[in-house]
Structures are given as C-alpha cells and as structure tokens.
Amino acid sequence: MNAPTQTTGTPDYTGADAVVACLKHQGVEVIFGMTGGSIMPVYDALFRDGEIKHVIVGHEQGAAHMAEGYARATGKVGVVMTTSGPGATNLVTGLADAFMDSTPMVAITGQVTSNLLGNDAFQEADMRGITMPITKHNYQVSSVEELPTVFAEAFFVALSGRPGPVLIDVPKDVMTQTCGQLLAAPSAPTGYKPPYRGNPRQIIRALKVIQAAQRPVILAGGGIITAGADAELKEFAEATGIPVTTSLMGLGAFPAGHELFLGMPGMHGTGYANLALNRSDLIICVGSRLDDRITGKLEQFAPGAQFIHVDVDASEIGKNLPCLVPIVGDAKPVLKDLASGAAEWETKPDYSEWRAQIEDWKERYHMCFASKSSAMAPQAVVELLGDMLDEDTVVVTGVGQHQMYTAQFYPFQKPRTLITSGGLGTMGYGLPAAMGAKLGRPEAEVVLIDGDGSFLMNIQELATAVRYRVGVVAIILNNNYLGMVRQWQELFLDKRQAETELQPPPYAKVAEAFGGLGRAVTSPEELVPAIEWARKEAREKRLPVVLDVSVEREALVLPMVPGGAANVDFIPCPGQVNEDKDNG
C-alpha cells in the first residue's frame, strides 16, 4: 500500500498533485479521458509531471470502453478521467457495462467547487447519485487530506473480490487546495474482506455430490478468467471427465478444441450444450451468474439438476436458482481443491454413457450455416479468421449478430483472447475496447470483428487510433442492417422490418479520411488477400486498418432459443430438426 512521503517547509503541493501521485503509486500507466473546466488542475498536474501517458479521446464513452478493453486484456485496473457535467455523464454507459461484466475500472470525474454543490451550477451533475447503482463503490472527496486514502481504497475495491468500476468525484477546489505531503499510508478498507478460499467442509460435500452424480456438467463463466483459473478448470475437468460449457464471458477459459468442450449454452448456444444442461442431474457452476441469456425460461432450465455454485460474490449464489452446495470463494483455489479431491477418489465415476449421449447430440446438432453462392456468409468470415489468426490474438467484438457469430464459430483457446460486451450488450463498444486492449498489450495482435451498425456508434475514435498510432484491424461484417433486430423481426414479427435497414457510409473511405487505411471487400476471392494486407499494414504502420466486408444481408444466427422459451426448444442450425424439443 502507499508509503508516506515526507516533505519539509512550506507545502508545495496541491490536491491535483496528490491525485497524480496516487495514480503513479498505483502503477497507472495510461489514462483515457478528456479535459474540461472542472478537471483542468489535474490535467495541469499530469502535464507538469509527465510520467503517465494520457489518451485524449473523441467522446468520453469511448474513453470508458478503452479503459474496459485495457483492463480486460491486461487484468489491471483501467483508468478514465473526465470533467464534470456532460463529460462525467457520458461515462455512464461505460460504467454500467463494466459493472455488468465485472471489469476493474477507476473513473475520476471533476466536479464544481464545493460551495456550488446542489446549486445547479454550470456543468454540475450528481455523479454519486447517478452512478450509485452501476458502480461497485463511489466517492465524493471533500478535502485534500482524503485523497490518498480514497484513491488507495478505490483501486483495492475495483480489483479485489468480484472486480468492478469505482468512481471518484473530485470538486475543483479540492484539486487546488495545498497539502504538505503527496502520499499517506492507508490501510485496506475496513469491513471489506473478499473471500478467497472455499470452505473446506463445502469442498468435501461438493466432492461427494459430484461422485454420486450420473450426468454432471461444468458451467464456467467469466469468473474463471478473472481469477486466472483456466489451468485449474482444465485440471478439474480432466480429473473427473465432466463436460464443460462456458458462458459468453467465459469463452477462452477452456480450449475450444478439447474433447470435453460443449461450446456456449443459452440463447445462441450450441444445441448439444443446451441439451446437456437440460438433461443433467448436476450442474457445477463456477464464476457465472446464471443470467437469462444462459437459462432461457428459468423455471424450465435444467429441471432435473442440482447445483453446486462457486462464486466469489456470495450475492450471486442462489439468486436465480436454488443451490445444493454453495461455495463462496475465488475460482482458482476452489477448483484446485476440487481437482485434488477428485484425484484421490478410489472409485472414479463412470460417465461413459453420459458422454456417449452428448457425442450423439454433437453429431446431430453440429454447428453449421447456410451459404449462398452469390454472397459471403458472415459465419464463413469468422471461421476463416479462426484459421488465419494465432491463438494468442486478442479478438474484440461490438454487439449484434457478428458478436454471436464470433462466439459460435471462432475457436478461442486461451483466456483474455475475447473482449466483448456481455451483460449490457453495448453497441459501439468494439472499436474503443480494441484500442484499449492494444494499448495495454502492444505486443499482441488485436482484431476487431464488428457490425456496420455497431461500428458507426463510436467511429470518431478512429481519429484517436490514428493520433496514437494504434494498429488494430477492424473487420466489419456489413449487411446494411441492424441485423440482430432484423432477425427477430423476421422470425417473430411477421418480417415487419421497422427501422432496421441502414445506409452506412463507405467505411474504407471513412477510415482513410481519418488518416487510417481501408479496403472494401465484396467477393470471397478478395477476402484472404485483404486480411493479410490489413494485418501487415496495421503491424508495420501502426495505424487502424478497416476492412468493410459485404456479407449476406439476411443471414440468421442459429441455433437460437426464442425469447421466453425453454432452452430445449432451440431452433437448430439450417438443415437440422430439433428432435429433442418435446422430450425436455
């Protein structure tokens, strides 16, 4: 934690200097944000200090998503900073997104001077009130003496336990107050002690339940990646022979090519993952909050299963479904303990019949897609990327059909190789998040797979990418539609396509106008050379490269569970019939 820095004589520092010192002490490398009237003293202190990199953005929402991408790619806390009023409120979507996806972030917002608080002063907004439900914690600093403790606590809270965003609102007069020292030595927050190890008795009880099960499934979520527990998950699965399915946020936590992997369950999950969960007698849920995209119709989800639920956040256990064995703890030590216990079993359960049933489902409901000779199937583009890109490549997505195609057809092998907006489903997330990931891991190749509607929503950040030489490749699967909404209109609203057809600009030319590079791809023959060109240019010129790929306009994301239906009632891939629909 912080250590005191002694000063002598008359105080030479201000609150703004203290903020910068606190950020440096936390190891902050880069801040994403935009200056303004109420945050100017801190920006001045940053300028005078000169050690922390700052990325000035086109819009504060972009800054928040950059901080998210940075945090998700590195495991470190992402930092964003804005002025008061609209600058601060523009962070709201990013904060909510980070909160839903348990992303560690510290947001610093300037505020009007303390004597004006509550007076509806120019660019005043109650950021504590506004962000209370979408942050893990928030502060409004009232004196310069509070700054060191508040900042130390904020970083501790953001990163520990179940990570999340923390907001620090700093009135301008606090930034200009003088102080005699830059750092204090605060202790960890009292009353906040995130659990780490699971209760040993519950571990033993869980092992007995697992040993007695006949049709178990492991459901792993993003908590595996947050905890760095991918190796322990694989060890546990292989020790027991239990099949594994991962949520969208958990993709990469278990190798896609592993014989025990079932893919993603839920609304756009594989048919065999949904059937395995539906027919299981035990679900070992680790680091997943069992949200509605996974469960579908809650009362018909896994009707014959009991649950072992492992989560570092006790409030998630039993929230949506009853739990037989709750284990509050970090996924890494808990899975390690479970794997060690399973390895000592004298009699290992025989799941051969269960595994054979799953293999039958895998054969009957294998992943496939329709393809028209006259147009590129978007799924084929994602499959091609899976073949061409290295397994260490960081893939980022926006939100929409392209996001689900990526989840279904890209073979994620390692953790922190997929960065996407899972819980909030924020269109416009992709480009800034990809930039944040690239700035956090400059040695890694970062490829954005986006849709034409989603890409447009934060397209101004192309200028930021050019300014800071951020070499990301953006591949837009362009169907001139808000494709996912159009799909719902086709399937469930008698094809009434209300306000879903788009007229996007020529993205390749737009990229060039911003100072980047771009190319339009209109035929399958052009695709491989274009991808190779884009990767080379992004790497060598360190510029954003946009490929505007025309894809089949009315392709559907399948399998799909209709809204409000049970997962067993999934619509299968083209050419398949759901023969298990009435057997749930």
Side-chain angles (χ1 to χ4, degrees):
M1 302 299 285
N2 290 346
T5 294
Q6 300 298 325
T7 61
T8 58
T10 304
D12 294 321
Y13 306 117
T14 65
D17 293 317
V19 169
V20 175
C22 291
L23 293 172
K24 288 169 62 178
H25 196 74
Q26 294 296 333
V28 173
E29 302 162 331
V30 58
I31 298 171
F32 305 94
M34 181 176 286
T35 188
S38 292
I39 197 70
M40 283 176 62
V42 176
Y43 271 86
D44 184 61
L46 275 175
F47 183 83
R48 285 186 280 105
D49 184 82
E51 290 191 18
I52 300 178
K53 181 176 182 176
H54 182 272
V55 175
I56 186 168
V57 298
H59 190 280
E60 290 87 351
Q61 182 186 351
H65 296 323
M66 287 180 204
E68 286 187 273
Y70 174 90
R72 295 272 295 280
T74 65
K76 302 175 184 176
V77 177
V79 180
V80 60
M81 186 161 69
T82 73
T83 191
S84 63
T89 57
N90 282 342
L91 294 179
V92 167
T93 298
L95 290 169
D97 195 278
F99 186 69
M100 292 284 277
D101 287 347
S102 305
T103 304
M105 180 194 299
V106 168
I108 304 159
T109 51
Q111 184 55 277
V112 301
T113 56
S114 301
N115 64 312
L116 293 177
L117 288 171
N119 286 356
D120 295 333
F122 177 68
Q123 292 192 334
E124 180 191 6
D126 176 12
M127 290 310 296
R128 283 206 73 192
I130 290 171
T131 64
M132 190 167 290
I134 55 170
T135 55
K136 194 173 175 184
H137 194 47
N138 62 20
Y139 302 85
Q140 187 172 72
V141 183
S142 60
S143 73
V144 68
E145 289 77 18
E146 297 177 11
L147 285 169
T149 301
V150 166
F151 272 77
E153 285 187 0
F155 277 82
F156 181 82
V157 171
L159 196 57
S160 58
R162 178 180 178 177
V166 178
L167 181 131
I168 306 172
D169 195 41
V170 188
K172 190 173 183 178
D173 56 300
V174 175
M175 303 175 197
T176 56
Q177 289 175 18
T178 57
C179 58
Q181 60 181 17
L182 293 182
L183 298 173
S187 58
T190 57
Y192 178 66
K193 296 179 180 177
Y196 185 67
R197 299 200 73 92
N199 186 305
R201 293 182 179 177
Q202 293 297 79
I203 299 286
I204 294 171
R205 187 178 171 213
L207 284 166
K208 291 180 179 177
V209 173
I210 294 168
Q211 200 170 17
Q214 296 181 332
R215 300 181 304 281
V217 176
I218 300 169
L219 171 54
I224 300 289
I225 295 173
T226 299
D230 53 296
E232 288 75 12
L233 173 64
K234 187 165 176 280
E235 181 184 356
F236 173 59
E238 291 179 343
T240 56
I242 298 175
V244 178
T245 180
T246 66
S247 69
L248 174 65
M249 298 300 292
L251 287 172
F254 197 79
H258 199 288
E259 62 176 348
L260 292 173
F261 189 54
L262 301 176
M264 181 180 72
M267 178 168 281
H268 291 294
T270 64
Y272 40 92
N274 280 329
L275 286 170
L277 289 171
N278 181 267
R279 306 294 167 74
S280 68
D281 61 354
L282 176 66
I283 294 177
I284 306 159
C285 179
V286 188
S288 172
R289 56 192 174 87
L290 289 169
D291 75 301
D292 60 300
R293 280 296 192 268
I294 289 179
T295 65
K297 191 174 185 179
L298 194 62
E299 53 268 34
Q300 293 185 18
F301 177 73
Q306 295 180 314
F307 288 84
I308 297 171
H309 198 159
V310 180
D311 206 295
V312 74
D313 183 353
S315 69
E316 291 295 343
I317 298 176
K319 184 176 77 174
N320 293 324
L321 289 162
C323 176
L324 177 66
V325 185
I327 302 177
V328 181
D330 186 274
K332 191 177 184 74
V334 172
L335 285 171
K336 186 70 176 176
D337 289 345
L338 288 173
S340 298
E344 295 174 0
W345 283 340
E346 294 181 0
T347 303
K348 190 174 179 179
D350 180 7
Y351 301 134
S352 57
E353 187 175 343
W354 174 230
R355 295 270 299 279
Q357 172 64 78
I358 290 175
E359 290 303 314
D360 176 62
W361 288 329
K362 280 187 173 181
E363 184 174 340
R364 286 196 282 137
Y365 303 114
H366 62 276
M367 292 299 298
C368 60
F369 53 86
S371 181
K372 297 179 180 178
S373 58
S374 57
M376 277 185 282
Q379 301 96 326
V381 179
V382 174
E383 276 195 334
L384 177 64
L385 287 169
D387 292 336
M388 293 181 68
L389 301 178
D390 186 86
E391 64 182 17
D392 291 315
T393 300
V394 178
V395 174
V396 184
T397 79
V399 167
Q401 283 186 308
H402 65 277
Q403 179 190 31
M404 292 298 103
Y405 295 140
T406 304
Q408 292 177 329
F409 290 96
Y410 192 90
F412 294 99
Q413 302 293 336
K414 293 184 175 181
R416 299 197 186 280
T417 54
L418 171 62
I419 297 176
T420 192
S421 172
L424 198 63
T426 304
M427 291 179 67
Y429 172 91
L431 177 60
M435 293 168 56
K438 183 65 178 176
L439 287 163
R441 289 173 55 187
E443 79 288 353
E445 182 175 28
V446 177
V447 174
L448 166 66
I449 302 174
D450 216 335
D452 49 305
S454 185
F455 189 75
L456 189 61
M457 288 193 175
N458 269 314
I459 197 170
Q460 77 284 345
E461 302 308 341
L462 279 173
T464 311
V466 170
R467 177 175 181 174
Y468 293 96
R469 311 289 290 191
V470 184
V472 297
V473 174
I475 297 174
I476 301 172
L477 303 182
N478 192 339
N479 63 1
N480 289 22
Y481 275 120
L482 294 173
M484 187 61 86
V485 182
R486 194 211 67 78
Q487 174 169 332
W488 280 66
Q489 291 169 336
E490 175 178 327
L491 295 177
F492 310 117
L493 295 175
D494 295 329
K495 300 185 178 181
R496 294 188 299 275
Q497 295 172 1
E499 304 300 330
T500 46
E501 187 164 13
L502 303 177
Q503 289 186 318
Y507 285 119
K509 293 182 179 178
V510 171
E512 292 175 351
F514 273 111
L517 300 168
R519 183 181 288 187
V521 180
T522 58
S523 70
E525 294 75 23
E526 298 172 335
L527 188 57
V528 171
I531 294 172
E532 291 174 341
W533 168 80
R535 297 174 69 192
K536 180 175 182 292
E537 294 295 295
R539 181 175 61 251
E540 294 181 354
K541 296 182 178 176
R542 296 192 298 126
L543 285 172
V545 184
V546 174
L547 295 184
D548 186 1
V549 182
S550 298
V551 297
E552 183 185 344
R553 297 198 66 200
E554 297 185 350
L556 300 177
V557 181
L558 297 174
M560 178 181 185
V561 178
N567 283 353
V568 73
D569 295 332
F570 64 89
I571 303 169
C573 291
Q576 299 173 353
V577 176
N578 184 354
E579 299 170 344
D580 295 271
K581 182 176 180 179
D582 298 325
N583 298 324

